[in-house]
Amino acid sequence: ADFNYGADEYDAEGNEEPKALPEGSETMPYIDESPTMSPQLSARGQESGDGVSPTPTDGLGTGGERDAGKGLEMRKLVLSGFLASEEIYINQLEALLLPMKPLKATATTSQPVLTLQQIETIFYKIQDIYEIHKEFYDSLCPKVQQWDSNVTMGHLFQKLASQLGVYKAFVDNYKIALETAEKCSQSNYQFQKISEELKVKGPKDSKESHTSVTMEALLYKPIDRVTRSTLVLHDLLKHTPADHPDYPLLQDALRISQNFLSSINEDIDPRRTAVTTPKGETRQLVKDGFLVELSEGSRKLRHVFLFTDVLLCAKLKKTAVGKHQQYDCKWYVPLADLVFPSPEESEHCPQVHVIPDHELEDMKMKISAIKSEVQKEKANKGQSRAIERLKKKMFENEFWLLLNSPAIPFRIHNRNGKSYLFLLSSDYERSEWREAIQRLQKKDLQAFVLSSVELQVLTGSCFKLRTVHNIPVTSNKDDDESPGLYGFLHVIVHSAKGFKQSANLYCTLEVDSFGYFVSKAKTRVFRDTTEPQWNEEFEIELEGSQSLRILCYEKCYDKTKLNKDNNEIVDKIMGKGQIQLDPQAVQTKNWHMDVIEMNGIKVEFSMKFTSRDMSLKRTPSKKQTGVFGVKISVVTKRERSKVPYIVRQCVEEVEKRGIEEVGIYRISGVATDIQALKAVFDANNKDILVMLSDMDINAIAGTLKLYFRELPEPLLTDRLYPAFMEGIALSDPAAKENCMMHLLRSLPDPNLITFLFLLEHLKRVAEKEPINKMSLHNLATVFGPTLLRPSEGESKAHLTLASDIWSHDVMAQVQVLLYYLQHPPISFSELKRNTLYFSTDV
């Protein structure tokens, strides 16, 4: 089934909403002509029933023949799905027509329910539309049921398209039809009863014989249908060979349909017919989108609308099935009264409760694991119900993440009193909102108060004006949309020019992961310059990313502004820009140089992408000198040490001056610094200690991680990896303890001693969690895969699923390290002496 959780099905508190049938609104709807909606291949709950169920054919031949066969097979699937929904559409039209005859009969009596004129207005053109579609359905159905590769049906679609004029008449009359029906309902109880519950016949083979739908919902169906037919034509063309006799006919039908859609959208595009208030001011929607509001101490997802002269914050109302979706206005601020409080003024603002990183990381792991299950189900042609259940779970988890991860405050203040607080995950977005509001405020704006009717009209218009329809989570993406990139993006930020005067400048990089943007890296501040030369390299992990954003800031050193909570960004954005991450262009082994122009500033950067399966490979060093990529036993033997010198030195340096560094081990050091340290350790250079004491602490932490990542086999060994995976999955605590200790004991001495040494260090780092924000769980997330991931790369067959397989294993790897980190101190001698911690009969 085609599954798409939209904002429409969830209210802003994250409670499930019953799905309203019509996607329209009380006045003229806007028809979507974009072919980006997914092909409605099969049933959509009560929308389409199962109609004609598609059956795949056996043995489709070979090579090109198979491709052609597959195309024709896809045509059959598209048509079967369309036919099923066409049957439902005809049943809906029939249900609308059903009361028309008795109403006409009473119209000429002494007690009419409606006048003939009213009947004509409400049911205008429905009979014609019904006859056109009934004829189309009756002609197409036998062709799909007796399917073979020579079936042609382009002429049927061409004929259907040529009869679209009747829809034009319907659309022109739609608004009056609705108003008339509403007035008649209010004045006539009998008609109200009829129009509230029209019985729609279920599809032939469905268990439900009838469903009840309102007249208002059914009157919207023809408008919805035009878009649907156009989408089906797109899909059919995609899967029809160009030399097939249907191809030119379908092309013609699509051209007619698209022209028709454009022409009626010309008449009804809500962005052109701006809402006018009773004062006659034109008010246009400038920007809208989903933001998290901190309201009465809890996070709520809001849909925020910026109009020419007012900012309106709304949530979707709960609506009963068959009723139109509506927004509920939570508050509005006229732009003439809107100010952005400076950080000093926001002293009294509520403190933001930030969700600990490890909880967010846990949730990302869960989402990745569910994605992996969905892929498996699809690959094994699993039950669509099981897939729907998983997708629903994934949506709930992604919704939680969307609600709980933003932490950058965006404050709005009304001069007349009240302040509001949004939380965003991206400073880029925060500045986009701020700039859009400031641009509008340059005009001569009047302060005003909206009457309840005016507010109702404005809020009512939000539904049809909105440009953002779905909550930004990946579950809302269609299967054929690009899933984005999974892996590592290496970015070098070179330099920038175009600044008017000297300043202290730095850049940050944001990428979208899990549907929303987050900041991933930050260059150092280049002081007092108009041409900063950063030349810093970053490795950014991508989780389904499609865009890279670069923001350029001027650093603020004003003491009065700095003592804010961590997430208050007081630095001034000098410019910002973004580029699409094109999988084809990015996936080369070479660096790709680029320039982003922003606000008169040009930032030069280079990037290259490594897919996750490539970046996870451990490649043994060819040379046996040096320490990186060399077996740990070889290094300790050569050094006559128990723990490699590189590990001891890096740990000592981190404990000396990095243990209170926020995000130590999580924030990546500058890649060029790490490479320099790697070269020095490999060459066993006598300047190591001097270099270490001068080097940025994140680079030292990064070097230690790189050392473990580049070991030819993981510290906890390939041989024991399956046993660690089984041990951590045991549920009995005693059995788990026994197994996990036995596994440590089975490690070679250099591996075990080094592991215990690192374990104690990480525990000491976590003791400073209140300052460095690194919990045991955060550290386990960073180091688990580094210490456990087997050296054998995933098989090539799983390339597409690299992200999913990866996530499932990673969860277990993190758990293994976390188990040892949470365990009371483990000593080498105790471990060796104590062959069994417990008796064997646990």
Side-chain angles (χ1 to χ4, degrees):
D2 171 17
F3 226 77
N4 200 356
Y5 295 101
D8 307 354
E9 285 144 78
Y10 254 67
D11 83 328
E13 318 295 326
N15 305 317
E16 202 153 349
E17 288 269 349
K19 174 77 171 132
L21 273 177
E23 263 274 341
S25 74
E26 77 299 342
T27 54
M28 211 48 245
Y30 178 64
I31 298 182
D32 183 3
E33 27 178 328
S34 65
T36 50
M37 287 164 63
S38 66
Q40 320 286 333
L41 281 185
S42 63
R44 212 186 222 236
Q46 53 177 309
E47 268 271 304
S48 55
D50 280 335
V52 184
S53 61
T55 48
T57 58
D58 300 321
L60 282 172
T62 55
E65 187 190 327
R66 188 188 300 127
D67 286 347
K70 193 169 174 232
L72 293 168
E73 195 51 42
M74 281 303 291
R75 286 175 80 216
K76 185 187 173 189
L77 292 177
V78 172
L79 285 168
S80 306
F82 183 57
L83 211 50
S85 67
E86 188 73 2
E87 183 192 348
I88 283 167
Y89 179 46
I90 290 167
N91 289 348
Q92 289 164 340
L93 294 171
E94 235 169 32
L96 254 184
L97 290 170
L98 204 62
M100 193 169 87
K101 282 189 184 128
L103 284 170
K104 270 190 174 166
T106 65
T108 50
T109 64
S110 56
Q111 287 187 310
V113 179
L114 301 182
T115 66
L116 279 171
Q117 178 61 51
Q118 287 169 330
I119 296 168
E120 182 55 35
T121 305
I122 294 170
F123 297 97
Y124 187 65
K125 294 293 179 195
I126 301 287
Q127 183 70 44
D128 298 2
I129 292 174
Y130 171 76
E131 282 163 13
I132 289 168
H133 281 269
K134 186 84 177 82
E135 184 193 344
F136 171 77
Y137 178 84
D138 291 344
S139 315
L140 184 62
C141 197
K143 286 179 179 287
V144 176
Q145 282 172 341
Q146 287 129 38
W147 181 259
D148 71 48
S149 56
N150 301 321
V151 164
T152 59
M153 42 66 208
H155 58 290
L156 298 178
F157 277 93
Q158 194 182 30
K159 185 175 176 188
L160 188 64
S162 69
Q163 294 167 311
L164 280 171
V166 70
Y167 274 95
K168 173 81 172 120
F170 175 84
V171 166
D172 289 344
N173 180 69
Y174 173 75
K175 200 170 172 181
I176 306 156
L178 265 193
E179 284 167 6
T180 310
E182 192 141 308
K183 273 184 200 143
C184 294
S185 275
Q186 285 162 1
S187 59
N188 188 307
Y189 178 66
Q190 256 178 303
F191 181 68
Q192 186 187 349
K193 282 203 70 94
I194 295 170
S195 63
E196 270 180 359
E197 281 206 15
L198 291 169
K199 295 271 182 278
V200 178
K201 221 164 43 189
K204 284 195 283 283
D205 51 0
S206 103
K207 292 183 189 65
E208 285 181 48
S209 57
H210 284 85
T211 48
S212 292
V213 188
T214 65
M215 182 174 286
E216 185 188 14
L218 288 179
L219 281 172
Y220 183 71
K221 292 298 168 193
I223 285 174
D224 205 22
R225 195 71 202 161
V226 189
T227 311
R228 184 73 171 263
S229 312
T230 312
L231 293 172
V232 168
L233 285 166
H234 268 285
D235 295 332
L236 279 174
L237 267 172
K238 214 189 305 182
H239 299 292
T240 301
D243 56 0
H244 193 286
D246 273 346
Y247 195 81
L249 300 174
L250 291 171
Q251 260 186 325
D252 192 42
L254 180 61
R255 183 183 53 75
I256 297 169
S257 304
Q258 282 181 324
N259 288 345
F260 171 74
L261 275 183
S262 304
S263 73
I264 60 174
N265 278 339
E266 288 290 313
D267 304 338
I268 62 174
D269 181 346
R271 292 207 131 196
R272 295 196 191 93
T273 59
V275 186
T276 50
T277 64
K279 293 193 191 112
E281 299 160 338
T282 52
R283 195 172 270 148
Q284 284 179 304
L285 179 67
V286 178
K287 180 176 172 60
D288 70 305
F290 289 97
L291 295 180
V292 173
E293 185 189 11
L294 196 66
S295 163
E296 293 161 4
S298 65
R299 292 167 178 255
K300 310 280 189 201
L301 190 68
R302 304 291 193 218
H303 200 147
V304 181
F305 295 86
L306 174 62
F307 289 95
T308 326
D309 62 347
V310 63
L311 184 76
L312 185 141
C313 175
K315 66 165 262 201
L316 266 175
K317 272 204 289 212
K318 288 188 174 63
T319 46
V321 175
K323 290 278 184 220
H324 283 308
Q325 287 269 292
Q326 279 297 319
Y327 281 100
D328 198 3
C329 173
K330 300 308 286 182
W331 50 264
Y332 71 91
V333 180
L335 298 189
D337 293 328
L338 187 151
V339 284
F340 299 112
S342 65
E344 305 82 82
E345 294 166 317
S346 53
E347 282 295 320
H348 56 279
C349 279
Q351 278 299 303
V352 180
H353 168 60
V354 179
I355 304 285
D357 274 349
H358 70 83
E359 283 185 34
L360 298 173
E361 289 304 322
D362 268 0
M363 187 54 89
K364 287 179 184 176
M365 293 283 194
K366 265 190 208 158
I367 292 166
S368 300
I370 297 172
K371 271 189 190 155
S372 165
E373 281 180 61
V374 171
Q375 297 284 9
K376 274 186 209 139
E377 283 284 344
K378 281 185 181 164
N380 302 335
K381 303 280 184 287
Q383 288 284 311
S384 62
R385 192 165 294 145
I387 293 176
E388 279 173 28
R389 214 173 28 249
L390 286 168
K391 283 196 168 180
K392 190 161 190 290
K393 186 83 197 132
M394 183 156 95
F395 175 79
E396 284 162 8
N397 289 345
E398 289 197 311
F399 187 84
W400 182 92
L401 199 59
L402 183 72
L403 212 53
N404 290 292
S405 50
I408 299 171
F410 176 43
R411 298 189 165 93
I412 300 278
H413 181 67
N414 185 337
R415 278 201 181 91
N416 304 324
K418 205 155 173 355
S419 287
Y420 305 96
L421 171 58
F422 291 112
L423 297 173
L424 281 73
S425 57
S426 148
D427 198 27
Y428 192 101
E429 261 148 57
R430 180 171 76 157
S431 78
E432 279 187 324
W433 277 100
R434 189 178 281 154
E435 285 163 16
I437 290 169
Q438 285 167 338
R439 260 197 305 278
L440 293 169
Q441 286 181 325
K442 286 190 178 130
K443 298 176 185 146
D444 181 27
L445 295 172
Q446 309 270 297
F448 56 85
V449 175
L450 293 174
S451 72
S452 59
V453 175
E454 288 171 317
L455 185 58
Q456 210 175 340
V457 170
L458 190 61
T459 312
S461 73
C462 290
F463 189 86
K464 61 181 183 296
L465 292 177
R466 63 193 184 152
T467 61
V468 181
H469 294 265
N470 286 336
I471 296 172
V473 293
T474 55
S475 348
N476 279 336
K477 278 192 186 168
D478 296 326
D479 292 345
D480 52 359
E481 277 187 66
S482 158
L485 294 169
Y486 286 87
F488 295 91
L489 186 68
H490 298 263
V491 182
I492 301 175
V493 182
H494 298 294
S495 59
K497 48 178 174 290
F499 296 96
K500 304 274 187 294
Q501 58 209 62
S502 286
N504 304 311
L505 303 163
Y506 70 92
C507 283
T508 64
L509 306 177
E510 290 185 355
V511 295
D512 52 328
S513 73
F514 293 93
Y516 58 89
F517 279 85
V518 280
S519 182
K520 288 281 194 174
K522 181 177 175 179
T523 67
R524 64 184 187 280
V525 178
F526 212 98
R527 293 201 168 213
D528 199 20
T529 179
T530 53
E531 293 201 359
Q533 302 282 328
W534 294 288
N535 293 317
E536 288 183 69
E537 183 184 332
F538 301 94
E539 179 184 81
I540 296 172
E541 190 174 352
L542 302 183
E543 297 161 300
S545 311
Q546 294 178 324
S547 307
L548 168 72
R549 290 173 168 177
I550 296 188
L551 293 95
C552 190
Y553 290 90
E554 178 180 358
K555 181 76 181 157
C556 160
Y557 288 108
D558 179 345
K559 289 284 186 289
T560 59
K561 292 182 183 173
L562 291 180
N563 53 358
K564 291 277 135 246
D565 55 84
N566 304 348
N567 296 301
E568 187 70 70
I569 300 171
V570 292
D571 300 335
K572 180 179 167 202
I573 296 181
M574 305 297 285
K576 62 187 189 330
Q578 84 173 15
I579 52 158
Q580 291 304 106
L581 297 174
D582 172 17
Q584 269 62 48
V586 179
Q587 279 173 314
T588 57
K589 290 201 168 62
N590 308 323
W591 287 95
H592 162 72
M593 180 112 171
D594 215 331
V595 173
I596 281 190
E597 294 205 33
M598 37 169 115
N599 209 8
I601 299 161
K602 288 183 181 176
V603 176
E604 280 196 2
F605 64 100
S606 301
M607 59 183 180
K608 67 176 179 181
F609 172 73
T610 318
S611 64
R612 190 167 260 160
D613 50 294
M614 292 309 295
S615 61
L616 295 181
K617 281 221 173 90
R618 294 179 185 271
T619 42
S621 170
K622 299 277 185 290
K623 53 188 192 341
Q624 280 306 298
T625 56
V627 290
F628 281 81
V630 179
K631 282 184 178 169
I632 195 164
S633 54
V634 173
V635 172
T636 48
K637 199 168 172 186
R638 187 199 312 139
E639 292 178 356
R640 297 201 179 94
S641 63
K642 289 183 174 172
V643 174
Y645 177 68
I646 180 171
V647 177
R648 284 176 291 144
Q649 285 312 125
C650 291
V651 163
E652 189 180 313
E653 203 60 37
V654 169
E655 293 201 358
K656 198 189 303 176
R657 60 192 178 92
I659 204 147
E660 294 190 349
E661 181 80 13
V662 173
I664 187 74
Y665 288 122
R666 188 173 56 79
I667 287 177
S668 49
V670 176
T672 39
D673 291 349
I674 295 172
Q675 290 307 317
L677 277 171
K678 176 181 173 178
V680 170
F681 274 111
D682 266 343
N684 196 13
N685 191 312
K686 56 182 185 305
D687 298 335
I688 289 177
L689 293 176
V690 177
M691 200 165 166
L692 277 176
S693 58
D694 284 347
M695 193 61 83
D696 171 56
I697 200 64
N698 286 320
I700 294 169
T703 306
L704 181 63
K705 287 192 297 185
L706 186 69
Y707 167 72
F708 285 118
R709 198 157 77 202
E710 291 197 354
L711 281 175
E713 80 158 349
L715 187 64
L716 298 186
T717 73
D718 283 330
R719 184 175 62 86
L720 295 176
Y721 181 74
F724 276 113
M725 293 297 101
E726 282 167 18
I728 199 65
L730 293 171
S731 28
D732 175 48
K736 186 186 269 189
E737 165 87 1
N738 210 347
C739 175
M740 298 301 274
M741 290 307 138
H742 173 67
L743 287 171
L744 283 188
R745 206 173 300 116
S746 314
L747 284 169
D749 282 2
N751 298 56
L752 175 57
I753 297 168
T754 302
F755 179 65
L756 295 177
F757 177 78
L758 182 67
L759 212 53
E760 290 313 304
H761 164 63
L762 295 178
K763 286 181 181 180
R764 286 192 289 274
V765 172
E767 282 168 11
K768 299 281 186 190
E769 185 194 352
I771 305 165
N772 65 26
K773 306 280 190 280
M774 290 302 284
S775 60
L776 288 174
H777 192 286
N778 281 352
L779 292 162
T781 305
V782 171
F783 275 96
T786 305
L787 301 178
L788 276 128
R789 192 189 62 252
S791 52
E792 195 44 60
E794 282 300 347
S795 73
K796 280 281 172 274
H798 287 125
L799 275 186
T800 50
L801 295 183
S803 59
D804 308 311
I805 294 159
W806 187 81
S807 64
H808 208 71
D809 282 359
V810 163
M811 290 172 81
Q813 293 160 10
V814 169
Q815 291 306 318
V816 169
L817 182 54
L818 189 58
Y819 180 85
Y820 292 122
L821 283 170
Q822 290 172 338
H823 196 280
I826 307 164
S827 92
F828 178 75
S829 49
E830 277 288 303
L831 205 54
K832 287 295 186 185
R833 196 165 50 244
N834 215 344
T835 6
L836 269 188
Y837 267 54
F838 291 89
S839 62
T840 40
D841 54 346
V842 282

